[in-house]
Amino acid sequence: MFRSVVARDLMLAWRRRSDVFATLFFFVIVVSLFPLGIGPETQLLRSIAPGVVWVAALLASMLSLGRMFANDEQDGTLEQLLLTPQPLYLVVLGKTLAQWLVSEVPLILVAPLLGMQFNLPSETLIVLVVTLLIGTPVLSLVGSIGAGLTLGLRGANVLIALLILPLYIPVLIFGAGAVDASISGGEIAANIYLLAALLVVSLVFAPWATAAALRISMEYFLTSDI
Amino acid sequence: MFRSVVARDLMLAWRRRSDVFATLFFFVIVVSLFPLGIGPETQLLRSIAPGVVWVAALLASMLSLGRMFANDEQDGTLEQLLLTPQPLYLVVLGKTLAQWLVSEVPLILVAPLLGMQFNLPSETLIVLVVTLLIGTPVLSLVGSIGAGLTLGLRGANVLIALLILPLYIPVLIFGAGAVDASISGGEIAANIYLLAALLVVSLVFAPWATAAALRISMEYFLTSDI
Amino acid sequence: MNWYKYSSPAAFYPLAGKLIPWFAIPAIVLFTVGLYVGFFVAPTDFQQGEAYRIMFIHVPAAWMGMLLYVLMAFYAGIGWAFNARLASMMASALAITGAMFTLLSLVTGALWGKPTWGTYWAWDARMTSTLILLFLYIGFISLQATIEDPRRADRAGAVLAVVGVINVPIIYFSVQWWNTLHQGATIRMMGKPTIAAPMLAALLIMLAACWLYSIAVVLYRLRVIIREREQRASWLAQGTAS
Amino acid sequence: MLELINLDCVRGGRPLFRNLNASVPDGTLLQVEGANGSGKTSLLRIVCGLMSPENGEARWNGTNVKSLGEEFSQTLAYLGHRNGIKEELTPLENVRISNAVAGNELKTEDAQLALRLLGLESRQHLPVRYLSEGQRRRAALARIVTGTAKLWVLDEVLAALDTAAVAVVRTVLERHLEAGGTAIVATHHDLQISAGSFQRLELAS
Amino acid sequence: MLELINLDCVRGGRPLFRNLNASVPDGTLLQVEGANGSGKTSLLRIVCGLMSPENGEARWNGTNVKSLGEEFSQTLAYLGHRNGIKEELTPLENVRISNAVAGNELKTEDAQLALRLLGLESRQHLPVRYLSEGQRRRAALARIVTGTAKLWVLDEVLAALDTAAVAVVRTVLERHLEAGGTAIVATHHDLQISAGSFQRLELAS
Ligand code: HEM
Ligand SMILES: Nc1ncnc2c1ncn2[C@@H]1O[C@H](COP(=O)(O)OP(=O)(O)OP(=O)(O)O)[C@@H](O)[C@H]1O
Ligand SMILES: Nc1ncnc2c1ncn2[C@@H]1O[C@H](COP(=O)(O)OP(=O)(O)OP(=O)(O)O)[C@@H](O)[C@H]1O
Ligand SMILES: [Mg+2]
Ligand SMILES: [Mg+2]
């Protein structure tokens, strides 16, 4: 049934392909905005590139997270998912996995191109991809908690941002840190290990937290929207 | 009736204060993320500050624009607004004004504080506020077009970013340019005049375009959502 | 003869079919000629060596990219104003071709950049504005892709295209201005090399080829779109006939 | 005087109804009936000008509603399947604001009167978010009742309403007709209007 | 066997009903009636365990539904005011997927059978987004019909349905009861179930 949850969300995503591309291009555009705001000096740009790419990744994943449960809630399918004969933990994990596959993986694939825009050396690009591979699942997992909590509150998107961006900060620091290090010749491995640690932790705890959050918000709905 | 549209939206915003604060915090957090992603070099930070603040403003306004018509559409009140005995142009203008007051003005108020984080000189802060004052209405006006076009579409809030961020670029360039200039002692006035010109143009044309977009969207996605 | 009758997709469909070869074949011929002249006749550039030959693709592509956007907006506007379905379809067809050329100019430009000034990308004004142009194309395309109802897609696209075309010059000049503002940009890329006659010839031939190619491809896409819409209508009709 | 003239409605390439004609003089209620998916909602939206028919037109006092624009909106009140009320606002605020936006400033007493009539007195200060389905529908109806519109276009008006509310709707409609108003109502349940004149329109599917 | 034991329901400090008792043996339908806002939806949600009562409990075969968890979900099918179907998917896909997610892989034929029964055959490949209100409700019902649940909890089941569909719902319910199923249904319109045994529960407001 875990599989059918994933399948369901992948199918829905396929029906909304345009979403996926939109998230992708949002990522690309945000990254490209910064030079326009900051100016074309190659040197300066290269030094901020890791931060910019990572921040853009954060924002992009945050945007797509807003839709993670909200859609299901509005049409009442979320109640059904809650009432399926399987641990909510699995449902959440399934939806999170689907979200990662659909919204984050594409970002990882284009990230190197964006890196080139900032003239990052190729080994740095590799580090960038690796950190994203380890970091983005953390974003999805942690983000799902926020998505669950803010479910049904108005302006959920912005609220989610508010709730989960702080939780993203460690990911940002280690992720961007590693890439930075590979430019300035600092300690790469340490950062990556820390990212991995974050991944393990969130993989274990986040789905539980999200499941709890969902239960709470649903109770809230009962009183809030019949 | 123009006034009552504005009043209506302000009241709704008041009921959803959390949104307003959320947009604000989003702005603050995005700006504050950069020092974390990039590192503490004061010099570097100062040189990127204008760009960062302006990009954050762009993203924040974009996020809140996603909700501009969507909420009214979902509960069917937008139909009522379309059926009110007044030119749609005015309705749109009213909603845009409300959106600006609610979502952009707070940003302008906190911007100086953020500027200080990057220890910008005080005259630069003034320039920052001025550019935001002139620039953010353009964002709202142009953004409302995107909001109208993507109304009722799946994943509208991401698509909207894709549509309008490129259109925001001149605002970004002139806005950040002026601030930048006031740091590096460049041409401030020219940028500000250009911003003002943009404001005038968008003030005249944007509401028409948005009204057209709304008519289009309503007429047709009503066939899709009964 | 009466041209109006061709303003209906159904009537235009066969005409387009007839026209395609008249543009496709010359396009192929000119491409071969142009590439031959460009890569074998034109002399090696004394400062850039062979790398400059990429120009024969790059420059026409860049020009087409910009030009087709304006055309697209024009047709979209017509389709919206006069409710001319064919014009709207034309716009949709142009969008993809234009995006392709823009992308091509970006790629070739980047490839050219590596040998000539040692990096794939710099935030040069022209590069940047070309990139933004690509974004505008993408916005148009994905908006239309997201909307099922073709009539809504046409009109929504039209609004976006028209707004965009008003913005294109603003964007273009703002980017120029931005780039000159910060005196950081060290690389001069578009320094017009004093072009030798065969180079110029190749450039012009390639340009003509691109034109013919665009027309042929757009006509082809137009046919595809017309067919799709007919199928969609009939599919829905039989999908829901009771 | 509302006239429907040779209306054709096609949705997604599938014809719903073909040259449909009707004329609804003032003081008359037109009850639109038909199976699910027969085109009731579509017809009502065409009347409001929210949707364009394939052919034909809807006329209000002789002129096409599409070309009437604002002054037609003044005479029109539409209630669709969705209630068109704001979850954040209380029923009272909803009624007042939606009227204000339509250019009809309302005294609090009048709004409260309507809410009492619809049995929402005890909930008038409770955000709609907390209301039950039927109470939401009632709040939506309060908007119509307080409005000044001459032409009421009500889709599935009785949805989610209990018997008491149905009776209220009936009396409200009768009043409206007696005051010379016009109404076009889509419903699956018979309205049994006694006052005013009454027409049926059966959409075959 | 569903039992409601001394259920108190309070919403926002306002008591809806106080120690409500009922026992619904297998093969029985409990029709919950009451004015708008009397607490029908709340009661049904309590039965599903989607909401906790102030006091008392709902028991399935003797154990509190709250403590039953997953295995209770297996025997439960809930249809609320909202349809719980995906707009992007066709009715057919909706039926199959929502069953699959509930752990009940469905053959296409069976799904189509249910859709034909509910008169959606001609719309089975049309995204729900294009369906009319009643057709959406029908699609939602198809999900219930194809499910394996023993206990049906249906809120306002007849909403937006035309007479034909109402008849179908009736027969479907009768079948379910004859097969030993249990149903608790909130509605404003009488169901007139002939088969199985039939109970009423009137919530005073
Ligand atoms: C991705 C990078 C690039 C982009 C987006 C780009 C874009 C453009 C555009 C839009 C044009 C047409 C402008 C006009 O003629 O008005 C153009 C022309 C040209 N580009 Fe590039 N370019 C890129 C890289 C390069 C590089 C690396 C070189 C060589 C060093 C180069 C050399 C030229 C030349 C010689 C022309 C023709 C100049 C003229 O006739 O105006 N470009 N490019
Ligand atoms: N794109 C489409 N393709 C095929 N059929 C469509 C499309 N869009 C709408 N329809 C059909 O058009 C009809 C819409 O009818 P409408 O909503 O007016 O029905 P209704 O009479 O209001 O039904 P109900 O009583 O359920 O509200 C439905 O039968 C629907 O299936
Ligand atoms: N926070 C709250 N404060 C006060 N009353 C509340 C609150 N939340 C819910 N209510 C009341 O609780 C009741 C909810 O009842 P419920 O939705 O179960 O009614 P229902 O019988 O389903 O009505 P309907 O027939 O309209 O669906 C409503 O009367 C509502 O006004
Ligand atoms: Mg309907
Ligand atoms: Mg209820």
Side-chain angles (χ1 to χ4, degrees):
Chain A
M1 286 183 273
F2 171 80
R3 276 176 49 256
S4 51
V5 171
V6 180
R8 166 185 185 275
D9 278 24
L10 290 182
M11 177 155 192
L12 285 171
W14 173 246
R15 285 297 157 81
R16 305 178 187 154
R17 292 178 219 74
S18 46
D19 268 29
V20 181
F21 290 112
T23 320
L24 193 58
F25 286 117
F26 173 79
F27 180 57
V28 177
I29 291 177
V30 170
V31 172
S32 320
L33 278 181
F34 281 97
L36 291 166
I38 288 162
E41 299 85 355
T42 323
Q43 205 42 44
L44 177 61
L45 287 179
R46 176 181 293 164
S47 56
I48 65 166
V52 168
V53 174
W54 258 99
V55 170
L58 249 61
L59 298 175
S61 78
M62 199 202 65
L63 264 190
S64 56
L65 277 165
R67 297 193 305 276
M68 188 168 169
F69 298 114
N71 290 337
D72 289 347
E73 184 277 312
Q74 276 163 14
D75 53 32
T77 42
L78 190 58
E79 289 163 0
Q80 286 173 35
L81 289 177
L82 287 184
L83 292 176
T84 48
Q86 61 180 314
L88 190 50
Y89 178 93
L90 286 182
V91 177
V92 169
L93 205 58
K95 286 187 74 70
T96 316
L97 174 59
Q99 192 271 349
W100 182 73
L101 288 173
V102 167
S103 315
E104 312 284 352
V105 172
L107 304 193
I108 301 176
L109 297 181
V110 295
L113 278 177
L114 300 180
M116 285 185 194
Q117 280 192 322
F118 294 85
N119 308 306
L120 294 180
S122 53
E123 63 276 14
T124 306
L125 294 180
I126 296 169
V127 177
L128 179 63
V129 171
V130 173
T131 52
L132 285 173
L133 262 176
I134 309 176
T136 48
V138 183
L139 299 185
S140 303
L141 287 160
V142 174
S144 67
I145 304 176
L149 282 173
T150 54
L151 195 54
L153 305 185
R154 298 278 150 274
N157 279 319
V158 191
L159 247 148
I160 286 181
L162 172 52
L163 278 179
I164 68 184
L165 273 181
L167 299 177
Y168 279 176
I169 287 174
V171 185
L172 174 66
I173 292 178
F174 299 139
V179 184
D180 242 352
S182 80
I183 298 177
S184 56
E187 179 55 70
I188 304 177
N191 281 299
I192 292 187
Y193 292 146
L194 288 166
L195 265 187
L198 283 180
L199 176 55
V200 174
V201 174
S202 50
L203 203 52
V204 177
F205 293 114
W208 291 109
T210 310
L214 277 181
R215 287 231 170 73
I216 294 165
S217 337
M218 287 313 278
E219 281 279 355
Y220 158 86
F221 272 127
L222 318 179
T223 60
S224 80
D225 124 347
I226 291 150
Chain B
M1 285 182 275
F2 171 80
R3 275 177 47 259
S4 51
V5 172
V6 180
R8 168 187 184 275
D9 278 24
L10 289 181
M11 176 152 195
L12 284 171
W14 173 246
R15 286 297 158 81
R16 302 181 191 151
R17 291 177 219 75
S18 58
D19 273 23
V20 182
F21 290 114
T23 319
L24 196 59
F25 285 121
F26 174 80
F27 180 59
V28 174
I29 289 174
V30 171
V31 174
S32 323
L33 279 179
F34 275 92
L36 298 172
I38 286 162
E41 304 86 357
T42 325
Q43 204 38 46
L44 178 61
L45 286 180
R46 174 181 294 169
S47 56
I48 66 167
V52 169
V53 173
W54 259 100
V55 171
L58 248 62
L59 296 175
S61 79
M62 190 206 71
L63 269 187
S64 57
L65 277 165
R67 297 194 306 279
M68 188 169 172
F69 299 114
N71 290 336
D72 289 347
E73 182 274 309
Q74 277 162 12
D75 54 31
T77 43
L78 189 58
E79 289 163 5
Q80 287 174 34
L81 289 177
L82 285 186
L83 292 176
T84 49
Q86 63 181 310
L88 191 49
Y89 178 94
L90 286 181
V91 177
V92 169
L93 205 59
K95 287 187 75 70
T96 316
L97 174 60
Q99 193 272 348
W100 182 73
L101 290 172
V102 167
S103 315
E104 312 282 353
V105 170
L107 305 192
I108 302 175
L109 298 181
V110 295
L113 293 176
L114 299 179
M116 287 179 194
Q117 278 191 336
F118 294 79
N119 50 46
L120 296 177
S122 55
E123 62 276 16
T124 305
L125 294 179
I126 297 169
V127 178
L128 179 63
V129 171
V130 173
T131 52
L132 285 172
L133 263 176
I134 308 174
T136 48
V138 183
L139 300 184
S140 302
L141 287 161
V142 174
S144 68
I145 303 176
L149 285 174
T150 56
L151 190 56
L153 299 179
R154 314 269 156 276
N157 61 347
V158 189
L159 189 59
I160 201 179
L162 182 50
L163 297 189
I164 64 183
L165 280 182
L167 302 180
Y168 277 176
I169 284 170
V171 184
L172 172 64
I173 288 176
F174 297 138
V179 184
D180 223 32
S182 81
I183 298 177
S184 58
E187 178 59 72
I188 305 178
N191 279 297
I192 292 186
Y193 292 144
L194 288 166
L195 264 187
L198 286 180
L199 177 56
V200 174
V201 174
S202 50
L203 204 51
V204 177
F205 292 114
W208 291 111
T210 309
L214 275 182
R215 286 234 170 71
I216 293 166
S217 304
M218 288 307 276
E219 164 108 55
Y220 292 124
F221 84 80
L222 291 180
T223 67
S224 80
D225 143 338
I226 290 151
Chain C
M1 66 176 286
N2 154 21
W3 289 101
Y4 281 112
K5 89 166 203 270
Y6 288 115
S7 64
S8 97
F12 187 77
Y13 187 83
L15 176 65
K18 283 199 219 71
L19 288 179
I20 287 176
W22 291 96
F23 294 98
I25 294 162
I28 297 167
V29 174
L30 285 187
F31 267 127
T32 37
V33 175
L35 288 176
Y36 177 79
V37 175
F39 282 78
F40 301 106
V41 177
T44 305
D45 185 274
F46 60 88
Q47 34 164 290
Q48 291 195 12
E50 303 300 336
Y52 87 97
R53 298 186 188 275
I54 229 176
M55 174 176 82
F56 299 124
I57 303 169
H58 169 75
V59 178
W63 280 336
M64 295 306 292
M66 294 185 290
L67 222 140
L68 289 186
Y69 187 90
V70 179
L71 260 182
M72 176 191 83
F74 171 76
Y75 277 112
I78 297 289
W80 181 27
F82 305 114
N83 198 354
R85 282 160 55 222
L86 189 60
S88 305
M89 297 183 191
M90 190 70 129
S92 317
L94 278 163
I96 305 173
T97 318
M100 287 302 173
F101 274 119
T102 315
L103 189 64
L104 186 64
S105 83
L106 280 171
V107 173
T108 50
L111 291 179
W112 197 354
K114 198 60 177 171
T116 43
W117 30 270
T119 167
Y120 288 109
W121 183 270
W123 293 92
D124 164 90
R126 227 189 220 140
M127 293 172 148
T128 311
S129 50
T130 311
L131 184 65
I132 298 169
L133 184 65
L134 183 64
F135 289 156
L136 290 174
Y137 272 121
I138 289 169
F140 181 89
I141 293 170
S142 34
L143 178 64
Q144 292 207 321
T146 316
I147 306 174
E148 288 89 355
D149 184 325
R151 288 180 302 172
R152 182 187 170 188
D154 288 342
R155 298 177 188 202
V159 174
L160 185 65
V162 170
V163 172
V165 88
I166 298 172
N167 263 268
V168 164
I170 302 178
I171 291 173
Y172 190 78
F173 288 114
S174 67
V175 170
Q176 297 266 338
W177 169 258
W178 159 76
N179 184 269
T180 49
L181 247 190
H182 317 259
Q183 45 284 87
T186 45
I187 313 112
R188 281 288 333 116
M189 49 159 288
M190 309 301 185
K192 274 199 188 153
T194 49
I195 297 185
M199 291 191 194
L200 187 62
L203 204 55
L204 294 178
I205 296 172
M206 288 301 286
L207 188 61
C210 286
W211 262 110
L212 294 166
Y213 165 85
S214 308
I215 297 172
V217 167
V218 166
L219 285 178
Y220 174 75
R221 286 239 165 75
L222 205 55
R223 280 168 63 89
V224 174
I225 293 174
I226 294 173
R227 221 181 301 126
E228 269 174 0
R229 292 201 180 179
E230 240 111 64
Q231 273 173 2
R232 185 178 175 287
S234 58
W235 170 72
L236 286 174
Q238 50 98 334
T240 64
S242 47
Chain D
M1 172 74 163
L2 174 73
E3 291 161 299
L4 312 178
I5 291 159
N6 304 331
L7 281 180
D8 292 1
C9 177
V10 178
R11 296 289 289 279
R14 180 182 189 283
L16 287 179
F17 47 79
R18 288 226 168 281
N19 63 65
L20 182 132
N21 286 282
S23 87
V24 190
D26 298 357
T28 310
L29 179 142
L30 176 67
Q31 174 169 336
V32 183
E33 296 168 344
N36 291 138
S38 55
K40 300 184 292 301
T41 299
S42 310
L43 175 60
L44 267 52
R45 301 198 79 98
I46 290 173
V47 169
C48 297
L50 281 172
M51 208 174 116
S52 346
E54 194 76 359
N55 300 309
E57 60 184 54
R59 293 201 186 135
W60 177 249
N61 298 334
T63 38
N64 187 336
V65 295
K66 277 268 174 194
S67 55
L68 270 169
E70 274 91 43
E71 70 251 40
F72 180 58
S73 313
Q74 209 125 31
T75 61
L76 177 77
Y78 172 66
L79 173 61
H81 283 295
R82 282 173 303 169
N83 289 322
I85 49 179
K86 281 284 166 194
E87 295 219 316
E88 296 78 17
L89 304 179
T90 68
L92 187 56
E93 292 163 336
N94 266 297
V95 170
R96 296 200 58 193
I97 288 179
S98 48
N99 272 286
V101 170
N104 163 31
E105 295 296 341
L106 207 64
K107 276 202 253 59
T108 317
E109 300 70 49
D110 304 347
Q112 283 172 321
L113 213 66
L115 289 171
R116 183 169 316 123
L117 176 68
L118 283 150
L120 283 179
E121 194 169 18
S122 61
R123 300 292 198 282
Q124 63 185 353
H125 296 303
L126 184 67
V128 166
R129 182 176 339 118
Y130 298 114
L131 294 186
S132 81
E133 200 65 23
Q135 291 169 330
R136 291 167 186 227
R137 197 69 179 164
R138 292 169 177 227
L141 281 163
R143 188 193 107 232
I144 308 284
V145 175
T146 49
T148 59
K150 201 161 171 323
L151 171 62
W152 287 2
V153 180
L154 311 176
D155 199 351
E156 200 62 49
V157 62
L158 302 182
L161 294 181
D162 60 16
T163 41
V166 170
V168 174
V169 171
R170 194 168 289 131
T171 52
V172 166
L173 276 171
E174 283 166 353
R175 269 195 230 156
H176 179 61
L177 297 179
E178 274 157 359
T182 314
I184 165 168
V185 180
T187 171
H188 296 298
H189 312 289
D190 214 330
L191 277 170
Q192 295 141 346
I193 297 292
S194 57
S197 71
F198 180 77
Q199 296 180 12
R200 282 172 189 288
L201 175 61
E202 175 84 30
L203 296 180
S205 63
Chain E
M1 172 76 163
L2 173 74
E3 290 162 299
L4 312 178
I5 291 158
N6 305 328
L7 281 180
D8 291 2
C9 176
V10 179
R11 297 289 291 277
R14 188 187 269 99
L16 288 180
F17 47 79
R18 289 226 166 281
N19 61 65
L20 182 126
N21 287 283
S23 87
V24 190
D26 298 358
T28 311
L29 180 143
L30 175 68
Q31 174 170 338
V32 183
E33 296 169 343
N36 292 136
S38 55
K40 301 184 291 300
T41 299
S42 310
L43 175 60
L44 267 48
R45 298 194 78 108
I46 290 174
V47 170
C48 297
L50 280 171
M51 187 173 142
S52 353
E54 194 75 359
N55 301 310
E57 61 185 53
R59 293 201 186 137
W60 177 250
N61 298 335
T63 38
N64 187 336
V65 294
K66 277 268 173 193
S67 55
L68 268 169
E70 273 92 47
E71 70 251 43
F72 179 56
S73 313
Q74 208 125 28
T75 61
L76 177 77
Y78 172 66
L79 173 60
H81 283 294
R82 283 172 303 167
N83 289 324
I85 48 178
K86 280 284 165 194
E87 295 221 314
E88 296 79 17
L89 304 180
T90 68
L92 188 56
E93 292 163 335
N94 265 297
V95 171
R96 296 199 60 192
I97 288 180
S98 47
N99 272 286
V101 170
N104 163 30
E105 296 295 343
L106 207 63
K107 276 203 251 57
T108 318
E109 299 72 48
D110 304 347
Q112 283 172 321
L113 212 67
L115 290 171
R116 183 169 316 127
L117 176 69
L118 284 151
L120 283 179
E121 193 170 17
S122 63
R123 300 294 196 284
Q124 63 186 356
H125 295 303
L126 185 66
V128 166
R129 179 175 336 118
Y130 297 114
L131 294 187
S132 80
E133 201 63 23
Q135 291 168 329
R136 290 166 189 228
R137 197 69 178 163
R138 291 168 177 227
L141 281 163
R143 186 191 109 235
I144 308 285
V145 175
T146 48
T148 58
K150 200 161 172 325
L151 170 62
W152 287 2
V153 180
L154 311 176
D155 198 350
E156 201 62 47
V157 61
L158 302 181
L161 295 181
D162 60 17
T163 41
V166 171
V168 174
V169 171
R170 195 167 290 131
T171 51
V172 167
L173 276 171
E174 284 166 353
R175 267 194 231 156
H176 178 63
L177 297 177
E178 275 156 0
T182 313
I184 164 168
V185 180
T187 172
H188 296 298
H189 312 289
D190 215 328
L191 278 169
Q192 295 140 346
I193 297 293
S194 57
S197 72
F198 181 76
Q199 296 181 16
R200 283 173 189 288
L201 175 61
E202 175 83 33
L203 295 179
S205 64

